[in-house]
């Protein structure tokens, strides 16, 4: 049966950052700070929290009250809605619906006090089911610098000629007072070349009263969301800047709409657009933007159709996407600077779906060296050595995508004046479609090929040319036959939800292509027929085949081409996705999980990425499952969380996941890796195998087996192996851990009603068990400080059974290490350790599965010989401990005794009933004198004897 997966589930991590879809995996993830974000990149002790179904009011919390029942380590001091509500009487039903659809009425800024680090605080809040998301309040930065080339002093506004603004004015002389919001550091409201174009909210004159009932008192000249300092944010109605160092927003303002034809200073493309000044930076910081998204919301609600954001940063979260979605839904165009990072690393808000990102090119239409780029960029614009207004009636030069963006915003206002009924998205499409191709000006082999948008802004073409269709994909759905792994040799079908933003078309051809030789397109062209204006419909299937020799985790760039030659319409856009993944999802029974190529279980990457975790009856039960193998406090090979939000990645893939065809199991897959990525390699190679059955009583477990080989030339003693598991059953902070020593089952359950059980059964016999429960919510716990050191990891592996339970009251957020040890390996020798991952409706259910898994593993996974066999111990000679393998052909009484070289019995090792199966027994002889000994194994009258040597 073929499985259909939305690209939102399977490709979320492989789609370009700008392509944002509904994140159906949100419940599977815990929060980690985005790459590149440091403590200076967000406001301290501040969260942005969105609730699922309720709009909490300010009166819900008093001072020093807890927000959630499970947050005993966090005190919430204030909660403030990010959306300032209008009175219902002045808000139309349509406006209320858009606010509700975007969820703005459910988003709050929450201040807190806690000793926990930021990520721990966010994850505490995320445990509450009423929370849709929680994230930091990111600080962004403006994108400009000051060039020192003296040639910039000649012909100070040549960029206007470059984008054909003078010619455009002959067609559309000005912006007809369209409103452009400048969400920035503030502006100079008295500047001689700006003051006449400053937007005034005449509904709320300065009189100390909120005359227009919008939640902002006297916002006649705009609004300041931060005030004097971010360390004590106090909003006010004065967005004017107090110092020259804050003139970034002034420079941006002049480019967007300096007063033109006044015989002073500079000209702007828009000429007379009204500038809504929304200050989102602090008076004491020249570049930081603290309240950019709140500023966008304000601009949307106060009538700005064009919103300029010349700032950004690596912090991308759901809040920013919600805000962009809201702005787009209200018909706004949010023009954003692509960034000055010189790379295609995502910068936000530029990388959000729906944002109109602008790259910076020089006067020669060559990408500025500092400009960011990417397939999410919409257009390029001059942004190098741009002359504009600065503080106190002065002018100066600045460069960067911060300058390129307002030039595009100014052009957008001119297009709006020419076409006042168009939405912001439609205005953006006109600008994009009428841009001049500049790729011939740039090196053909440049890494930013096709990543500067559709070309460089051409205002004349945008004003003058007749409209055409404009097709953009809204969503991608795919079908494959490899559970979403897009495996080598697989055939994949793509379906695209396409929307026509502009003029209707009757004969649209859609073509899918790629230059990647690992993929062959076998059905790549479809005549999609007619599209009405603003119509959306699904087109497909387009079919590809992944080549049989495709390397694992190969990222493929695809190009979608749209054309209607009769309408002279040709356009393209891109998406990526990764094929032949090095993990596979296992979905053959009631427990869904993932096998990886690096020892992890459930996810192949840290932070619950690339996999299904452990799923049972729509419950996501596992956040992290990772292998640890240790021999000392300084040598633990693992891929478990470590310090400062990082993860150890000690295992190097040798052979990626492969499914064994024609297996007797419903699923059998394996991979091979070693510990050579470790700073102190132990010298081990591991073959990982996972097996699953389809029918009861074996349909609620998956077996995970690790076959460990000593690849070194020396013996390795005292090896401990375990799985670190972070369980999250229903409400994760209400979980309990327990260990049944007799059955060797560790299990987790929740205090919430009707929630399932999950657990691990140790399948390896007669090797000492390991069970070490953990919870970062306990002050004495290893994880309390957010770090997990190598020494701490070894302690959890080598401590045996630390305790048999964890959790009291309503429960805790629990983790544990479950495993076996010690093992001793001679050079080139191996041992196997196996676990059964269990799920069930209650304790009895997982106990039944554990018993079934044990029987299957002993009888089928490890073939049982028809005769009684006892192996030579290894290592031999040895100092303190050695391993003995023995096979029991049927249930029966078995004994093991130790004798000295004179034949005198030294020790009765064991004498008890065994079930049929293969066993490994670790013989510890720490208190035995060095010398030659013999061990004798007896089973139903059969006797086998082996010689062993104990060293000094």
């Amino acid at each position: 049966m073929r499985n259909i997966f939305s690209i939102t589930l399977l490709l979320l991590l492989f789609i370009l950052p700008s392509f944002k879809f509904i994140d159906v995996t949100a419940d599977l993830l815990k929060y980690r700070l985005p790459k590149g974000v440091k403590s200076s990149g967000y406001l301290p002790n501040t969260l942005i929290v969105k609730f699922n179904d309720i709009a909490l009011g300010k009166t819900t919390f008093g001072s020093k009250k807890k927000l959630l029942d499970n947050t005993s380590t966090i005190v919430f001091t204030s909660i403030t809605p990010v959306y300032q509500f209008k009175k219902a009487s002045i808000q139309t039903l349509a406006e209320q619906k858009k606010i509700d659809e975007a969820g703005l009425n459910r988003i709050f800024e929450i201040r807190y006090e806690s000793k926990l680090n930021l990520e721990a605080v966010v994850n505490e809040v995320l445990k509450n089911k009423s929370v849709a998301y929680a994230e930091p309040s990111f600080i962004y930065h403006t994108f400009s610098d000051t060039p020192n080339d003296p040639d910039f002093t000649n012909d100070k506004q040549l960029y206007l000629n470059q984008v054909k603004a003078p010619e455009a004015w002959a067609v559309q002389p000005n912006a007809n007072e369209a409103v452009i919001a400048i969400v920035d550091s503030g502006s100079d409201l008295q500047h001689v070349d700006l003051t006449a174009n400053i937007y005034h909210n005449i509904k709320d004159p300065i009189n100390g009263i909120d005359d227009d009932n919008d939640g902002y008192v006297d916002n006649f000249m705009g609004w300041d969301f931060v005030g004097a300092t971010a360390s004590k944010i106090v909003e006010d109605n004065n967005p004017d800047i107090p110092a020259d160092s804050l003139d970034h927003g002034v420079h941006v303002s002049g480019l967007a709409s300096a007063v033109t034809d006044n015989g002073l200073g500079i000209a702007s493309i828009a000429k007379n657009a009204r500038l809504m000044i929304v200050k989102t930076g602090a008076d004491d910081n020249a570049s930081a933007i603290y309240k950019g998204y709140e500023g966008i919301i304000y601009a949307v609600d106060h009538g700005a159709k064009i919103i300029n954001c010349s700032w950004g940063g690596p912090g991308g979260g759901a809040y920013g996407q919600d805000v962009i979605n809201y702005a787009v839904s209200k018909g706004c165009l949010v023009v954003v600077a692509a960034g000055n990072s010189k790379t295609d690393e995502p910068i936000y808000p530029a990388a959000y779906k729906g944002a109109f990102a602008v790259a910076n090119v020089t006067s020669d239409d060559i990408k500025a060296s500092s400009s960011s780029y990417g397939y999410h960029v919409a257009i390029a614009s001059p942004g190098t050595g741009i002359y504009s207004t600065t503080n106190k009636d002065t002018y100066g030069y600045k460069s960067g995508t911060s300058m390129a963006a307002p030039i595009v915003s100014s052009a957008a206002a001119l297009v709006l004046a020419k076409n006042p009924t168009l939405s912001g998205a439609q205005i953006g499409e006109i600008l994009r479609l009428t841009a001049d191709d500049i790729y011939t000006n740039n090196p053909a082999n440049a890494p930013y090929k096709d990543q500067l948008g559709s070309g460089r802004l051409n205002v004349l073409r945008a004003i003058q040319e007749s409209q055409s269709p404009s097709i953009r994909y809204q969503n991608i759905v795919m079908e494959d036959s490899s559970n979403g792994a897009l495996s080598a040799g697989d055939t994949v079908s793509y379906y695209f939800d396409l929307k026509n933003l502009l003029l209707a078309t009757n004969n649209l051809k859609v073509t899918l292509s790629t230059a990647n030789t690992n993929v062959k397109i076998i059905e790549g062209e479809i005549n999609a027929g007619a599209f009405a204006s603003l119509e959306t419909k699904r087109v497909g299937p387009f079919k590809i085949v992944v080549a049989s020799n495709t390397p694992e985790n190969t990222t493929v760039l695809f190009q979608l081409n749209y054309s209607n030659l009769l309408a002279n319409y040709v356009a393209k856009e891109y998406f990526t996705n990764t094929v032949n993944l090095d993990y596979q999802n296992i979905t053959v029974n009631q427990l869904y999980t993932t096998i990886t190529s690096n020892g992890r279980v459930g996810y192949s990457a840290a932070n619950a990425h690339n996999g299904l975790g452990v799923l049972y009856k729509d419950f996501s039960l596992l956040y992290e499952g990772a292998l640890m193998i240790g021999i000392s406090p300084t040598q633990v090979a693992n891929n478990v969380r470590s310090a400062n939000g990082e993860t150890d990645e000690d295992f190097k893939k040798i052979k990626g996941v492969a499914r064994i065809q024609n297996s007797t199991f419903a699923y059998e897959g394996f991979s091979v890796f070693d510990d050579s990525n470790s700073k102190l390699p132990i010298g081990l190679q591991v073959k990982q195998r996972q097996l699953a059955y389809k029918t009861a009583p074996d349909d609620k477990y998956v077996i995970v087996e690790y076959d460990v080989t000593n690849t070194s030339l020396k013996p390795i003693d005292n090896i401990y192996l375990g799985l670190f598991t972070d369980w999250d059953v229903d409400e994760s902070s209400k979980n309990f851990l327990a260990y049944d020593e007799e059955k060797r089952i560790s299990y987790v359950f929740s205090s919430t009603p009707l929630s399932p059980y999950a657990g691990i059964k140790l399948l390896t016999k007669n090797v000492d068990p390991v069970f070490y429960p953990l919870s970062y919510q306990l002050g004495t716990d290893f994880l309390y400080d957010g770090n997990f050191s190598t020494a701490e990891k070894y302690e959890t592996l080598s401590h045996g059974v630390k305790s048999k339970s964890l959790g009291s009251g309503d429960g805790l957020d629990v983790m544990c290490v479950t495993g076996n040890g010690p093992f001793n390996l001679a050079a080139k020798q191996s041992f196997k350790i196996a676990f059964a991952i269990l799920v069930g409706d209650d304790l009895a259910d997982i106990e039944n599965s554990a018993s079934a898994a044990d029987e299957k593993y002993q009888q089928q996974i490890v073939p049982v010989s028809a005769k009684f066999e006892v192996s030579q111990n290894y290592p031999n000679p040895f100092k303190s401990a050695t391993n003995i393998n023995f096979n029991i052909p049927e249930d029966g009484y078995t004994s093991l005794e130790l004798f000295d070289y004179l034949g005198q019995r030294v020790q009765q090792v064991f004498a008890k009933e065994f079930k049929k199966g293969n066993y490994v027994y670790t013989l510890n002889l720490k208190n035995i004198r060095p010398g030659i000994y013999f061990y004798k194994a007896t089973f139903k009258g059969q006797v086998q004897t082996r010689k062993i040597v104990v060293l000094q």
Side-chain angles (χ1 to χ4, degrees), residues 129-150:
K129 283 188 172 182
S130 66
V131 174
Y133 62 72
E135 59 192 49
S137 182
F138 289 112
I139 301 170
Y140 297 96
H141 293 274
T142 55
F143 296 130
S144 68
D145 52 54
T146 302
N148 57 13
D149 193 329

Side-chain angles (χ1 to χ4, degrees), residues 157 159-160 163-166 168-169 172-175 254-258 260 267-273 381-382 406-415 457 459 463:
Q157 286 192 280
Y159 79 87
L160 291 174
V163 300
K164 301 295 190 292
W169 291 329
Q172 177 63 39
N174 58 58
L255 296 176
S257 188
T260 307
S268 64
I269 296 172
K271 288 190 176 181
N272 68 350
S381 173
I407 292 172
V408 172
S409 293
S410 191
L414 207 65
V415 174
L457 172 70
V459 187
I463 294 296

Side-chain angles (χ1 to χ4, degrees), residues 477-523:
V477 174
M478 70 177 188
E479 295 178 354
D480 76 334
S481 56
S482 55
N483 292 328
L486 307 182
S487 298
D490 199 2
T491 299
V492 184
S493 296
Y494 288 93
Y495 297 83
F496 300 92
D497 294 335
L498 304 181
K499 183 175 183 177
N500 180 19
L501 290 167
L502 292 175
L503 292 187
T505 181
N506 292 317
N507 188 27
L508 180 72
K509 184 170 73 174
V510 184
T511 304
L512 178 68
S513 63
T514 180
N516 194 309
T517 57
N518 292 295
V519 169
K520 181 180 180 181
I521 295 178
I522 55 176
E523 294 182 22

Side-chain angles (χ1 to χ4, degrees), residues 401-480:
T401 54
S402 277
M403 287 59 256
I407 292 172
V408 172
S409 293
S410 191
L414 207 65
V415 174
L416 176 60
K418 181 76 167 17
N419 307 276
T421 62
L422 295 183
S423 69
Q426 291 174 312
I427 293 168
E429 284 305 290
I430 290 174
L431 294 172
R432 197 177 58 80
L433 290 173
T434 57
D436 288 343
D437 186 350
I438 59 172
Y439 289 107
T440 56
N441 296 59
N442 289 269
N445 60 349
Y448 51 84
K449 173 68 174 173
D450 292 325
Q451 297 183 67
L452 300 176
S454 59
R456 191 255 304 125
L457 172 70
N458 185 317
V459 187
L460 175 62
R461 291 183 61 193
I463 294 296
Q464 192 174 49
E465 292 185 7
S466 58
Q467 293 182 27
S468 69
S470 181
I471 308 297
R472 305 292 282 176
Y473 79 78
Q474 309 299 302
N475 188 33
I476 306 175
V477 174
M478 70 177 188
E479 295 178 354
D480 76 334

Side-chain angles (χ1 to χ4, degrees), residues 46-63:
T46 306
L47 297 182
I48 300 296
V49 179
K50 182 179 183 181
F51 294 90
N52 286 315
D53 302 313
I54 53 173
L56 300 177
K58 290 184 180 181
T59 58
T60 304
F61 307 94
S63 177

Side-chain angles (χ1 to χ4, degrees), residues 422-664:
L422 295 183
S423 69
Q426 291 174 312
I427 293 168
E429 284 305 290
I430 290 174
L431 294 172
R432 197 177 58 80
L433 290 173
T434 57
D436 288 343
D437 186 350
I438 59 172
Y439 289 107
T440 56
N441 296 59
N442 289 269
N445 60 349
Y448 51 84
K449 173 68 174 173
D450 292 325
Q451 297 183 67
L452 300 176
S454 59
R456 191 255 304 125
L457 172 70
N458 185 317
V459 187
L460 175 62
R461 291 183 61 193
I463 294 296
Q464 192 174 49
E465 292 185 7
S466 58
Q467 293 182 27
S468 69
S470 181
I471 308 297
R472 305 292 282 176
Y473 79 78
Q474 309 299 302
N475 188 33
I476 306 175
V477 174
M478 70 177 188
E479 295 178 354
D480 76 334
S481 56
S482 55
N483 292 328
L486 307 182
S487 298
D490 199 2
T491 299
V492 184
S493 296
Y494 288 93
Y495 297 83
F496 300 92
D497 294 335
L498 304 181
K499 183 175 183 177
N500 180 19
L501 290 167
L502 292 175
L503 292 187
T505 181
N506 292 317
N507 188 27
L508 180 72
K509 184 170 73 174
V510 184
T511 304
L512 178 68
S513 63
T514 180
N516 194 309
T517 57
N518 292 295
V519 169
K520 181 180 180 181
I521 295 178
I522 55 176
E523 294 182 22
E525 183 176 305
I526 290 179
N527 191 330
F531 272 81
S533 179
L534 300 179
E535 179 183 5
T536 301
K537 65 180 180 180
R538 181 162 293 181
V539 176
F542 298 83
K543 293 186 178 181
I544 70 164
V545 173
V546 182
S548 59
N549 60 345
T550 299
E552 292 171 345
N553 299 318
T554 296
T555 299
V556 179
L557 175 68
F558 290 98
Q559 180 175 316
L560 276 171
N561 284 81
Y562 313 117
S563 63
N564 181 349
L565 299 181
L566 295 177
N568 195 30
Y569 170 64
V570 178
K572 62 186 176 183
E573 59 182 328
Y574 298 87
F575 70 95
T576 64
N577 89 267
T578 302
V579 299
N580 200 23
L581 303 175
D582 67 344
Y583 63 90
Q584 290 188 2
N585 296 327
I586 305 173
T587 57
V588 298
N589 62 25
Q590 295 194 56
L591 188 164
Y592 284 18
T593 189
T594 298
I595 179 174
T596 75
S597 300
N598 57 20
R600 288 191 173 98
V601 172
Y603 303 99
S604 73
N607 304 325
H609 288 92
N610 296 3
L612 301 176
V614 170
L615 302 178
Y616 175 62
K617 291 185 176 180
D618 295 327
F619 284 89
S620 173
L621 306 177
L622 182 72
Y623 174 72
E624 181 179 1
L627 178 66
M628 300 197 302
I629 309 176
I631 62 172
S632 76
T634 60
Q635 279 188 285
V636 178
N638 71 101
N639 47 15
V640 177
R641 66 186 67 176
S642 55
N644 301 318
E646 299 297 323
T647 303
D648 287 334
E649 299 288 350
D650 294 339
F651 296 123
K652 180 181 179 180
K653 177 177 63 181
I654 296 174
K655 184 174 180 58
V657 171
R659 183 172 184 174
I660 297 175
Q661 301 300 319
N662 303 316
S663 172
T664 57

